[in-house]
Amino acid sequence: MKPILLDTCALIWLANRENLRPDARTALEEADGTDGLIAVSPISAWEIGQLVARGRMMLTLEPRVWFQSALDSGLVLTPMPPELLIASSFLPSGELRDPADRIIAATARLYQYRLMTRDRPLLAFGQEGHVETIAC
């Protein structure tokens, strides 16, 4: 079974125990039950910081502590080497405009993760066959 990469919105919903679609919940339960990898990109830490700094997200914890707490729940932080960042500039579709989305998509492609997201551009990228997605 392929590992799962959470995009930032999936990470937030999972951390806040928000309702996920049944397929997404099943995929997470299967991964957890088989010691499958559930990962998050370092760019999600940056996105969390940006959301809090701009007043678009309220946390009871400092963003660094919140993110570390999410990692401590068993999530794995993916590597973000220069080749991944360069690859994010050369994705097969020009529809992904958000740099963080491009980095997350490139991470899923490079490490062959299934990408869990509700983000429409990322789901469309998956529907084009560029990455396997799980709608959450």
Side-chain angles (χ1 to χ4, degrees), residues 8-25:
T8 305
C9 63
L11 170 64
I12 292 167
W13 287 321
L14 189 61
N16 290 339
R17 294 177 172 40
E18 306 240 352
N19 286 334
L20 298 175
R21 291 184 180 180
D23 289 349
R25 175 123 351 255

Side-chain angles (χ1 to χ4, degrees), residues 71-101:
L71 292 177
D72 291 345
S73 73
L75 300 178
V76 175
L77 190 64
T78 65
M80 199 166 71
E83 58 267 23
L84 184 144
L85 298 172
I86 293 167
S88 74
S89 300
F90 296 95
L91 293 173
S93 172
E95 296 302 312
L96 291 179
R97 306 226 186 279
D98 182 310
D101 284 351

Side-chain angles (χ1 to χ4, degrees), residues 10-111:
L11 170 64
I12 292 167
W13 287 321
L14 189 61
N16 290 339
R17 294 177 172 40
E18 306 240 352
N19 286 334
L20 298 175
R21 291 184 180 180
D23 289 349
R25 175 123 351 255
T26 298
L28 290 170
E29 289 169 357
E30 286 173 354
D32 191 42
T34 61
D35 292 326
L37 183 75
I38 303 173
V40 64
S41 169
I43 200 68
S44 291
W46 177 81
E47 283 193 291
I48 297 292
Q50 287 292 302
L51 289 168
V52 171
R54 293 179 178 169
R56 294 181 59 207
M57 181 178 173
M58 302 297 294
L59 296 175
T60 57
L61 302 169
E62 175 187 329
R64 179 188 55 78
V65 174
W66 185 94
F67 191 79
Q68 186 59 53
S69 175
L71 292 177
D72 291 345
S73 73
L75 300 178
V76 175
L77 190 64
T78 65
M80 199 166 71
E83 58 267 23
L84 184 144
L85 298 172
I86 293 167
S88 74
S89 300
F90 296 95
L91 293 173
S93 172
E95 296 302 312
L96 291 179
R97 306 226 186 279
D98 182 310
D101 284 351
R102 294 184 69 83
I103 291 168
I104 289 170
T107 301
R109 286 171 54 88
L110 181 67
Y111 299 114

